[in-house]
Every structure is written in structure tokens, then in C-alpha cells.
Amino acid sequence: AQSVSQHNHHVILSEAASLELGCNYSYGGTVNLFWYVQYPGQHLQLLLKYFSGDPLVKGIKGFEAEFIKSKFSFNLRKPSVQWSDTAEYFCAVIAGYSSASKIIFGSGTRLSIRP
Amino acid sequence: GAGVSQTPSNKVTEKGKYVELRCDPISGHTALYWYRQSLGQGPEFLIYFQGTGAADDSGLPNDRFFAVRPEGSVSTLKIQRTERGDSAVYLCASSLQRDNTGELFFGEGSRLTVL
């Protein structure tokens, strides 16, 4: 069965630091990959997604993620974080393109930014 | 409203009672998901509807859990004989695309507490 691993449970950074959050998935075939974010007190919302094409995808608020098929990874990056980036970040995957496919989420990484 | 609506936002019940949680998706969205999120964890897949039918209910933990979507719009998650371990935030999400390449739009969730 497909699964998603986020190894960093809690990351603490200072403003302007660079960010990289790890995400690995287990599935050998075609995948669609997502990063969702949950700001304090708000609902989950999409940050960015990868379906095909350029493995470097850009999302909202300066975030980007790189799909590395050989490493089964889809790490999230941002060159310079802001205090407003404090949130919980979830990586998610769909295996294949079937209409019966479900989206599986990782356990999340809590990001705390020191002002 | 324009977003996914979930009611109630909070539900406190006693062990052994029956609970219903309602989700009103974005108009026109054919796909509807139920997830469960415990503290410090990512959303755990429960069931996924395409239209009126459950395309995948493999995430329902046992036969105390059941969900319906009779007219392909509003969905109800039903939990019988609730247990303390059922306490969690139950999230509903909807999506426009039939092939699951689309963005999931989440509701605010229903927080269930079983005493």
C-alpha cells in the first residue's frame, strides 16, 4: 500500500532562514504529489502540486518542491521564511490516475518561525 | 457559502452513543472525501465518494463507521456505539475533477469528543 513519510516532526527556524521539509513516498508507479498547509486556526489548503512535466514546481507564497523519482522524494523548499509561514505542512500522494484512487497524507511537519 | 461546510463544528458525546456528522461540499464537486485527524497526526483517509457511490471505503476502521451520499452532494458520516478512541477532528473535502488530479478543498472539520 502506498504511504507517505515526513521525517521532520517539528522544525524551528529564524526568519530569513532557508527551509527544506522532507517527504518520501512508497509507490513504484505514476504518482501525483501535493503539499498542503494548515495555518493556525484555519483549514487545510493546497500549497502546490505535481502531476507531470518539470519536476520543479512552484506554489504560492514563494514555496517550491522538487520531485526526484529515483529517490521517491518530493521535498518542500523556501529560500527565506517569514514569521507568517508558521503552520503545519502535509505532504500527500495519489498513486496512479484511477478515479478510485485516494489521496494519502503524511503525518505532517510543524514549522515554527522565530521572529 | 462558497466553501465546504461541516456541521456540527463541535460534538461532545458519551461512550456508546450514536453520532452523525454532516458535510456540504462545494456545488458541482463530484468527489467527496472523509478524513480523520488525531492530535499531532496527518489526515487519515476514511472513505471517498465519486457521485453517490463510495469509490473506496477501505479506510473505515470498522463496521461502526458508515457514510452515505444519497444525492451526490451532501454526505453524512455515521458512527455507532462511539468509543473514546473515536475522538478526533473529522475532515471533509471535495474536489471537482473525477480523476483526482484536482485540488482538495477542505472544510473546517467537526471535532468529536467521546467521554
Side-chain angles (χ1 to χ4, degrees), chain A residues 23 36 51 59-60 89 92 98 105 107 114-115:
Chain A
C23 172
Y36 279 80
F51 296 148
I60 60 172
Y89 293 81
S98 165
F105 285 82
S107 57
R114 292 189 292 251

Side-chain angles (χ1 to χ4, degrees), chain A residues 9 32 34 36 38 41-44 46 49 51 88 90 94 97-108, chain B residues 33 35 37 40-45 48 50 55-56 58-59 91 98-108:
Chain A
H9 182 65
N32 294 337
F34 307 81
Y36 279 80
Q38 188 168 26
Q42 296 187 27
H43 59 271
L44 278 157
L46 182 69
K49 60 185 178 184
F51 296 148
E88 187 131 23
F90 296 93
I94 302 174
Y97 292 107
S98 165
S99 62
S101 299
K102 57 186 180 279
I103 299 175
I104 301 298
F105 285 82
S107 57
Chain B
Y33 291 77
Y35 287 86
Q37 188 173 21
Q41 300 295 317
E44 173 195 9
F45 171 79
Y48 154 52
Q50 270 290 2
D56 189 332
S58 61
L91 299 171
R98 292 187 60 84
D99 62 1
N100 292 319
T101 59
E103 176 179 355
L104 288 187
F105 292 85
F106 281 87
E108 301 284 348

Side-chain angles (χ1 to χ4, degrees), chain A residues 20-110:
Chain A
E20 181 159 3
L21 302 182
C23 172
N24 289 91
Y25 63 93
S26 63
Y27 184 74
T30 303
V31 291
N32 294 337
L33 297 157
F34 307 81
W35 275 97
Y36 279 80
V37 60
Q38 188 168 26
Y39 296 103
Q42 296 187 27
H43 59 271
L44 278 157
Q45 55 189 283
L46 182 69
L47 201 54
L48 49 79
K49 60 185 178 184
Y50 170 80
F51 296 148
S52 62
D54 188 345
L56 185 63
V57 293
K58 295 192 184 298
I60 60 172
K61 303 185 180 184
F63 285 91
E64 64 179 31
E66 185 174 12
F67 169 52
I68 303 179
K69 190 174 181 179
S70 61
K71 294 185 178 180
F72 298 90
S73 70
F74 189 57
N75 292 355
L76 181 71
R77 299 195 295 247
K78 185 171 183 177
S80 176
V81 295
Q82 301 171 308
W83 180 79
S84 58
D85 294 325
T86 295
E88 187 131 23
Y89 293 81
F90 296 93
C91 183
V93 63
I94 302 174
Y97 292 107
S98 165
S99 62
S101 299
K102 57 186 180 279
I103 299 175
I104 301 298
F105 285 82
S107 57
T109 298
R110 183 156 64 100

Side-chain angles (χ1 to χ4, degrees), chain B:
Chain B
V4 176
S5 175
Q6 291 189 246
T7 54
S9 55
N10 274 289
K11 176 70 176 179
V12 180
T13 191
E14 294 179 343
K15 181 175 177 293
K17 298 291 187 182
Y18 170 79
V19 165
E20 287 190 355
L21 306 175
R22 174 189 167 105
C23 173
D24 196 347
I26 293 172
S27 178
H29 280 196
T30 59
L32 185 147
Y33 291 77
W34 283 101
Y35 287 86
R36 176 170 70 175
Q37 188 173 21
S38 301
L39 195 63
Q41 300 295 317
E44 173 195 9
F45 171 79
L46 296 178
I47 186 169
Y48 154 52
F49 289 90
Q50 270 290 2
T52 60
D56 189 332
D57 64 357
S58 61
L60 295 177
N62 50 59
D63 61 6
R64 295 187 298 105
F65 288 75
F66 189 69
V68 295
R69 196 186 184 198
E71 297 178 357
S73 179
V74 171
S75 176
T76 304
L77 179 65
K78 308 179 180 191
I79 311 174
Q80 298 177 320
R81 304 183 305 279
T82 52
E83 300 178 356
R84 292 193 180 88
D86 299 336
S87 296
V89 176
Y90 288 81
L91 299 171
C92 178
S94 69
S95 179
L96 182 60
Q97 276 84 346
R98 292 187 60 84
D99 62 1
N100 292 319
T101 59
E103 176 179 355
L104 288 187
F105 292 85
F106 281 87
E108 301 284 348
S110 292
R111 181 178 299 277
L112 175 65
T113 303
V114 182
L115 301 177

